[in-house]
Structure formats: structure tokens, C-alpha cells
Amino acid sequence: MNCSVFHSHVCSPRQLSYLQSKDICLTPKHHEHDDSFSVPTPACDFVINSLFAESYAVLYTMCSVSCADMDRKYWERVLYLNAHTDVKLLTYLDVDRDLWPIDIEDVSDLDAPMIRATARKKFYKSAIHTMQRLSCEYNPTAKLAILAETFSEISTCVSRFALAGSEHVWSSDDLLPAFMYVVVRAQIQHLGAEIRLIEDFSPHLRGAGQIELMFTMLKASFVHICNEKSLP
């Protein structure tokens, strides 16, 4: 798929409808018995590992070149959005205030409001750090595992530090804005190339349940940031 038409294919109307109709079962990662985030591994994954170990640089360069225009536009907007404080960015992305997690347990009650108002990259901090590891992996299956872990960290952050707490039941309507915040703060410069690489080499992703939904959210976030008319 050429990234010049990336925006028209990356998230179809059917996929958007699917997103809007779904409740998401996000279980914090310490529930190790839960397999909600299992990533299907192809039987030939050992071959894929060997292939990508040898040819990743070439394949990634090809993806980067084909997605260069979209990635350039995306990166310019990510830099613009990252200039804002957490509160302003969360508000802009319309993240529910009950889902604003920040660890301020070690400060006085008087300092807490100021910390929340001026914080940068403090909300969903562990999820941001997890998402940043996406570009460190070369196997598409490993990249999907990082994506699944990111969603798990989002849930953990809300369970521990947000008003919604551990009883919150996620829907796509409240998960997508929170995930977009994490994507913006993670500042992956060539996210379009990463998406292209995963999609081209992960045929096992189709019909794979929640991980397919998570990947669709990643694509939707990328396209939204690229096409948002209110951004310069």
C-alpha cells in the first residue's frame, strides 16, 4: 500500500463503525493469567525473525520513503501538539477528565493543583514509555506486542491514578482519545512507516480480535493527527 493513499485506506468506514460499537476489555498487566492481549504468532515466526534481522534496514527504508509525505505532516503536527502542557493537550483531545491519571502521591495537597496544571508527559507516563519502544523492535509481531502492552499500561495508569479507578469499563469513545494522547507524547517520528511495516508483514492480524482493534486505533490516531483541520 502506497502511503500517498494511506489516509483513504488506513481506517475504513467499516472499521470506524466497528470501533464505535466496541467495549474494550483492558486488564492491567499484573493480571498475568489474562490473555486479552495475546498477539497471534505465525508458525513461521522464527523465519520472520531471521528475515527481519537481516533485511530490516532495507524494508524499513522502503516503508519510510513511501510514507515520507504523510510522516512529515504527522511529525510537524506532533511537534506542535507536544509544545502544550498535559492538561491543554488532554482537553484538546477531549479525554474524559475522570481518565486523567498522574502520580502526585508524594507531594502536598497544596502543590498538587499546580503540578497537574503545568505537567508535561506526566499523564500516562508508563504507557508513553512503552509506546516509545515500538520503533526499537524489528519483528512486526514484537511491535504488536508493544502496542498491546501500551493499552495495558493505559488501563493500569487509570486504575491506579485516575478518578475512574479500576472499575472503569473502557469503550472506544473514551479509549481512542486517551490512546491518541499517548501516541502524541511518544513522539515516534516515522509512525506511518511503522504502521505500513506492521500491516504489510502481519497477515495473521486480520480477525485477530482485540489486537486487530488496537492496531486499527493506532492507524486511526495517525490519520486523525495528519488530517485534523484545526491544526496548523
Side-chain angles (χ1 to χ4, degrees), residues 50-79:
S50 178
L51 168 67
F52 276 91
E54 297 294 331
S55 59
Y56 180 76
V58 174
L59 293 172
Y60 187 76
T61 299
M62 292 172 61
C63 291
S64 296
V65 170
S66 66
C67 296
D69 290 340
M70 290 288 285
D71 271 337
R72 188 179 303 110
K73 185 176 183 180
Y74 168 80
W75 184 240
E76 289 172 354
R77 292 182 165 199
V78 164
L79 290 178

Side-chain angles (χ1 to χ4, degrees), residues 70-151:
M70 290 288 285
D71 271 337
R72 188 179 303 110
K73 185 176 183 180
Y74 168 80
W75 184 240
E76 289 172 354
R77 292 182 165 199
V78 164
L79 290 178
Y80 171 80
L81 290 171
N82 269 285
H84 301 310
T85 63
D86 286 339
V87 168
K88 187 171 182 179
L89 181 56
L90 288 164
T91 302
Y92 172 78
L93 294 174
D94 200 25
V95 179
D96 190 320
R97 285 182 175 267
D98 287 347
L99 304 177
W100 289 16
I102 182 172
D103 183 4
I104 53 175
E105 295 176 352
D106 297 330
V107 299
S108 70
D109 291 340
L110 292 176
D111 292 335
M114 180 60 70
I115 290 175
R116 291 179 67 90
T118 60
R120 291 177 185 272
K121 299 186 181 181
K122 298 296 184 183
F123 293 73
Y124 294 104
K125 187 174 182 179
S126 62
I128 293 168
H129 290 167
T130 300
M131 185 70 186
Q132 288 171 334
R133 290 163 39 209
L134 186 78
S135 56
C136 299
E137 298 288 347
Y138 58 82
N139 187 326
T141 301
K143 291 179 184 291
L144 288 172
I146 294 294
L147 180 63
E149 188 179 344
T150 299
F151 278 91

Side-chain angles (χ1 to χ4, degrees), residues 189-216:
Q189 186 168 358
H190 301 288
L191 184 58
E194 297 285 356
I195 292 172
R196 167 78 186 272
L197 186 74
I198 294 171
E199 191 159 47
D200 283 359
F201 293 95
S202 300
H204 56 289
L205 188 59
R206 299 185 185 92
Q210 291 213 55
I211 188 61
E212 182 184 18
L213 179 61
M214 293 172 187
F215 184 61
T216 300

